[in-house]
Amino acid sequence: MKLDGSLLLLAATDLANHLACRHLTELDRAVAEGRLGAPVWRDPALELLQERGLAHERGFVESLRAGGLDVVDLRDVEGASAAERTLQAMRQGAGAIVQGELCEGRWRGRADVLVRVASPSALGDWSYEVYDTKLAQETRGGTVLQLCLYSDLLGRRQGRAPEYMHVVKPGEGFPRETFRLADFQAYYRLVKGRLEEAVDRPPSGSTYPNPTNHCDV
């Protein structure tokens, strides 16, 4: 969550955080608006987990290269240039795009990997679907919502909503769990709308830090 003038920009993490804990949304908003300082302590175990996640993503990307896909890697590209480079790679029909930047209005998303599929779109005889690399063997609701946001933003860029979205898990051959976007769109719109309402109204202090599973994170 970031403040751009008077508008709070939102990302996939904000969507998952709101599903996990409404009070966390209020804390993130207070930090974005400068009313609260962000925590300075970081759990070393979480940093190790993040490094394992990055290694998992790198391994999956290398498997795509080994399978013959031409890969455009945007991991080191930041800012507006990232969104421009992502759209350029999509128009050129790259086989896979790593850390592609997707945006529409106040929403931002950085998908782990966009993979080309043989479904026509405004780009040409192809389009893209989202692949998200996760260490967990069980896919949680927050992950599905993040995939829905990436797929929604991707659909606006390519003029066609992707039919499927995928979670890539650790293991031999990088096993994948595939979800049909249409099965989750109604719930995604509901949670997304609730988050937008929460950040657009004046801070009320009405939320309370009731313990949730997300407190461990």
Side-chain angles (χ1 to χ4, degrees), residues 165-184:
M165 47 194 188
H166 315 266
V167 174
V168 181
K169 301 181 178 182
E172 185 176 355
F174 295 96
R176 303 162 196 182
E177 189 172 6
T178 296
F179 301 91
R180 190 167 168 266
L181 175 61
D183 292 341
F184 300 92

Side-chain angles (χ1 to χ4, degrees), residues 96-115:
I97 305 167
V98 182
Q99 288 295 315
E101 176 82 15
L102 304 167
C103 55
E104 179 72 24
R106 76 189 311 171
W107 287 94
R108 303 288 184 272
R110 195 126 196 190
D112 286 350
V113 187
L114 305 177
V115 177

Side-chain angles (χ1 to χ4, degrees), residues 18-81:
H18 190 66
L19 179 67
C21 176
R22 291 187 302 124
H23 185 65
L24 178 56
T25 296
E26 292 301 318
L27 294 176
D28 288 340
R29 178 182 181 181
V31 171
E33 294 176 342
R35 296 182 283 109
L36 188 69
V40 295
W41 183 81
R42 289 178 61 84
D43 187 345
L46 288 178
E47 292 183 350
L48 178 60
L49 196 62
Q50 289 173 343
E51 180 53 42
R52 286 179 55 202
L54 292 173
H56 175 40
E57 179 186 296
R58 289 193 295 267
F60 176 60
V61 171
E62 288 307 313
S63 74
L64 295 178
R65 282 199 179 97
L69 289 184
D70 57 310
V71 176
V72 174
D73 193 338
L74 300 178
R75 279 177 284 199
D76 295 328
V77 183
E78 299 292 341
S81 176

